[in-house]
Each structure stands twice: as C-alpha cells, then as structure tokens.
Amino acid sequence: MVFDPKTRKLFVLGKYVDSQEIDKPLSDFHSYSVDTNTWTCVMEDTGAAGGPLLIYDHQMCVDADKGTLYVFGGRVTSAQLLEHKSYSGLYRFDMASNTWKLLRGDEEAGPENCILESRIGHSMLLDTATEELYIFAGQRQKVFFSDFHKYSITANTVKEVCHDCSKYNGPYPGFTQRATIDMDKREAYVLSGIIREPEMDSNKGSSVRNSLWVYDITRDNWYCAYQNDNAEPEYWNKMDKLEPCPRFAHQFVYDHINKVHYLFGGNAGEVLGKHTRLSDFWRLDLHRPSLHDIIRRCRYLIRRQHFRELCVHSPREVRSAIDRMVYMWATSPLVHTARVFLGHQGFWDIESWRLMEI
C-alpha cells in the first residue's frame, strides 16, 4: 500500500493467497480516495495488462509529481509458478494512461551489466531530487541480503552501491526492515526487523532486535542512531509502555512536515515468549543535538575518564580525586543535562518513544 499526496489516494496491490484456494488468482489493483471516502477498482488483473502478477511481500513507491508508481520484488503466488518465475521484477505504472511497463525483470542484466536480484521483505525509497530508487536488504530463498542498490529512473540503470552494508557500519542482513526518507535532511532511516548477524550460523535461524540506522545520502555513510540488544521477554514486558519491543513485518512511516516517525503493529516473534501479533502504535521523536550540547557531553566524558585514571594509577589519592571531581561536577552545567546520546559516528538524542492511543 502506498499514498499519493497529490491525488490524495491510497493504492493497494497484491496479497497472499493459498494456492489451493483459487485456480487462477487475479492481481486486482485498487485505489481509495481520502477526500471522497470511496474505493475504485483501477484494474481487475494487472498481470493481464503487462504489470506484475499476483504477488506479496513487495514494495511500492509513488512519484506524485510525475504521476507514476513503482513496484519491485515480491513473491509470485505458487499457483502461477509453472509459467512464470518465483520473484517479480521492477514495474512502473502510469496513472494518467493506466498502463504498466516492465523496467527490469528478475535477474535481468541491464545496459550497465548489473543484475538486480528480486526479493521479498526488502525496503525501497524514492529520491525525487536525483530521480533514483533506493533498494535495501531483503531475502531471496534462504539468503538474507545486506546490499544497497540505486536504480536511475532517467537512465534506466542499476548501480550496486554496497554489496554488504554491515561491513561499512550499516545494518546487518535483514528481512522486513522498514525505511523512510527525509528529502530536506538528505537522510534515510532504516528500522530493523529480522536480522542475521555475520557470526550466526545460517542453520540456526535469525534474531529480532531493535535498531535504527541512518544513511547520510550526501556523505554516503551509515551510522547507528539507536540500538537495544535486550531479547529477554521479562524485560520487554516491563517496558511495554516505555519502548516498543523488537518486531518484524511492522509498518514504519515518516511525517516529513513535523519530522516524526510512527510505528504500528508487526510480529514480536519469540521476544515476548510467544508468537504475538501486535497492534500497538508508537511515535518516535529523533533529534540531533546542537554543537554546544556535544561539547558539554565530550567535556563530561573526558573528566570521567580522567577520574578513572586517577583511581587506577594513584589509589592513595582517590579521596582527593573524588573531592576534586565533586567540585568540578558541582560547578559544571552538565549536572542538569538530561539527554542521553546514543550511537557512534554521530550523536543522537532519542527524546522518547511515545505509546499512542488508538
């Protein structure tokens, strides 16, 4: 599902159906008008019109200014696999003419000789400034990806920016990671889902962990803004009103006007001790502190380290060191600092996760 802010319509495409439920599944395509509160069947079968077959776990992006919609990846329902490939390619839909065009088939090499493997559970963003699609991570068969590709809409070319982002301070290979983009800040945000760390044996499965990654588009680098490695059910049962538990198959959207993220639902897996479908709704305020705040934080870290070194190397002077540090602490404006800075290669202030009432 994707929202077009210009026409104020929601577009819904694809679904999962059991192959035994229907002989010839049709890929119906619908739109919902927010203004008129009405549904419209845009197309009864996109596959028959040159578009994607009936798929699930795909991603969609909309270019509101040009009236186009992009669909990439997804698994083709098993009832259609005798005649078609297992994974769907990259398609473009023109809203004005109601027509589909296949831009890149699964495992099809383009003029740049770069193969874009189709997948499920990935993330896709549209950069309207550069007219590029960003494709992150996902899963194909039993392989978890941590790659990052850019598709140029104007040149119809694919570029592999990074084969494994986890080797460059980026997210681990994952499934159902959710991504958003801020065009003003030139940043992309990726919230983790199911991940597989390098030291994990592929036969031992995966884990679900809370982490938020930021990609600086201009500088072309990653850093972790937030991470909580706790996986104990008792811990998350205590934190149910303070912080969302780790999850996958959730929804994560961004209000670019108010600079606020919203998180809804998902599957907690075994984090809560049982497979739980979630219906909680959270708001995330993410702020980068000022230069003055960073300097104060650094000054505090230096003084703390200095105190530790005094205690280690001069045990007889511990008392005087404590008196000195108490004096320095009392006279420092840092005493009243309430913010918590997390991450590396950059300081972030997680003002709060807020549980929203539905």
Side-chain angles (χ1 to χ4, degrees):
M1 182 170 66
V2 69
F3 179 67
D4 179 5
K6 194 169 186 179
T7 62
R8 292 179 57 78
K9 290 183 179 180
L10 284 169
F11 290 92
V12 181
L13 173 69
K15 59 185 175 182
Y16 174 81
V17 294
D18 194 313
S19 60
Q20 299 177 353
E21 294 180 359
I22 186 169
D23 295 331
K24 295 182 179 180
L26 301 179
S27 179
D28 49 342
F29 183 31
H30 298 267
S31 68
Y32 170 77
S33 174
V34 176
D35 295 328
T36 62
N37 191 27
T38 55
W39 284 96
T40 302
C41 180
V42 181
M43 205 167 286
E44 293 185 356
D45 186 9
T46 57
L53 301 171
L54 183 58
I55 54 177
Y56 61 93
D57 279 346
H58 52 287
Q59 286 293 309
M60 296 193 295
C61 287
V62 63
D63 188 340
D65 294 331
K66 296 189 176 181
T68 54
L69 186 148
Y70 297 91
V71 181
F72 173 66
R75 191 74 182 262
V76 179
T77 56
S78 57
Q80 305 168 95
L81 294 183
L82 295 177
E83 302 177 4
H84 305 280
K85 291 186 175 182
S86 301
Y87 295 88
S88 184
L90 175 62
Y91 290 86
R92 179 178 64 201
F93 176 71
D94 186 273
M95 300 180 190
S97 61
N98 263 25
T99 56
W100 288 93
K101 181 180 179 180
L102 177 62
L103 301 176
R104 190 66 60 94
D106 180 27
E107 296 185 304
E108 176 187 336
E112 74 293 339
N113 199 31
C114 180
I115 297 177
L116 178 61
E117 291 184 281
S118 296
R119 59 200 65 192
I120 61 175
H122 52 288
S123 299
M124 184 170 73
L125 301 171
L126 173 64
D127 187 340
T128 55
T130 61
E131 295 191 64
E132 292 176 317
L133 292 172
Y134 299 159
I135 299 169
F136 303 96
Q139 181 183 10
R140 183 183 177 98
Q141 303 297 345
K142 294 183 179 181
V143 179
F144 281 66
F145 293 115
S146 183
D147 57 354
F148 174 26
H149 288 82
K150 289 184 179 181
Y151 171 78
S152 173
I153 297 173
T154 54
N156 188 28
T157 57
V158 175
K159 176 185 178 183
E160 185 181 62
V161 180
C162 184
H163 183 70
D164 186 353
C165 293
S166 65
K167 295 181 179 179
Y168 299 92
N169 296 323
Y172 290 119
F175 175 74
T176 68
Q177 293 172 325
R178 302 309 188 197
T180 63
I181 189 169
D182 189 319
M183 294 301 301
D184 299 327
K185 296 181 179 179
R186 303 296 295 159
E187 291 178 338
Y189 309 93
V190 179
L191 183 66
S192 62
I194 297 178
I195 65 171
R196 176 169 291 162
E197 299 181 35
E199 59 272 15
M200 272 188 183
D201 188 338
S202 60
N203 296 323
K204 294 182 179 179
S206 314
S207 66
V208 183
R209 178 184 301 173
N210 264 355
S211 59
L212 178 66
W213 299 83
V214 180
Y215 174 68
D216 190 314
I217 299 174
T218 304
R219 298 179 181 178
D220 187 27
N221 60 13
W222 290 91
Y223 46 90
C224 184
Y226 157 80
Q227 183 165 309
N228 190 330
D229 295 331
N230 203 307
E232 297 299 326
E234 295 80 7
Y235 172 83
W236 290 109
N237 285 327
K238 294 179 181 178
M239 297 290 290
D240 63 340
K241 301 296 182 182
L242 302 175
E243 181 181 351
C245 68
R247 63 194 64 202
F248 63 95
H250 47 283
Q251 291 300 319
F252 188 59
V253 297
Y254 185 59
D255 179 355
H256 69 279
I257 298 177
N258 297 307
K259 309 299 182 184
V260 173
H261 281 93
Y262 292 96
L263 170 69
F264 176 75
N267 192 326
E270 297 182 357
V271 173
L272 298 181
K274 58 182 179 179
H275 289 280
T276 305
R277 295 284 184 175
L278 302 169
S279 60
D280 50 350
F281 184 35
W282 295 81
R283 165 176 167 167
L284 173 64
D285 297 285
L286 184 64
H287 300 280
R288 183 179 281 109
S290 66
L291 179 60
H292 176 66
D293 292 332
I294 294 174
I295 293 175
R296 291 200 304 170
R297 176 64 175 175
C298 291
R299 184 183 294 118
Y300 160 70
L301 293 175
I302 293 172
R303 288 175 176 174
R304 186 179 67 177
Q305 181 60 28
H306 178 57
F307 171 73
R308 288 176 174 175
E309 292 177 0
L310 285 175
C311 293
V312 171
H313 299 294
S314 303
R316 295 182 179 180
E317 300 179 8
V318 170
R319 182 61 187 177
S320 61
I322 292 176
D323 293 339
R324 180 183 178 188
M325 291 304 299
V326 168
Y327 173 77
M328 294 172 64
W329 192 283
T331 58
S332 172
L334 210 69
V335 176
H336 305 289
T337 301
R339 290 176 174 167
V340 178
F341 298 109
L342 302 171
H344 47 80
Q345 290 192 3
F347 290 93
W348 284 86
D349 176 10
I350 307 293
E351 183 173 277
S352 65
W353 279 103
R354 300 179 186 176
L355 181 63
M356 309 294 289
E357 298 294 335
I358 301 179

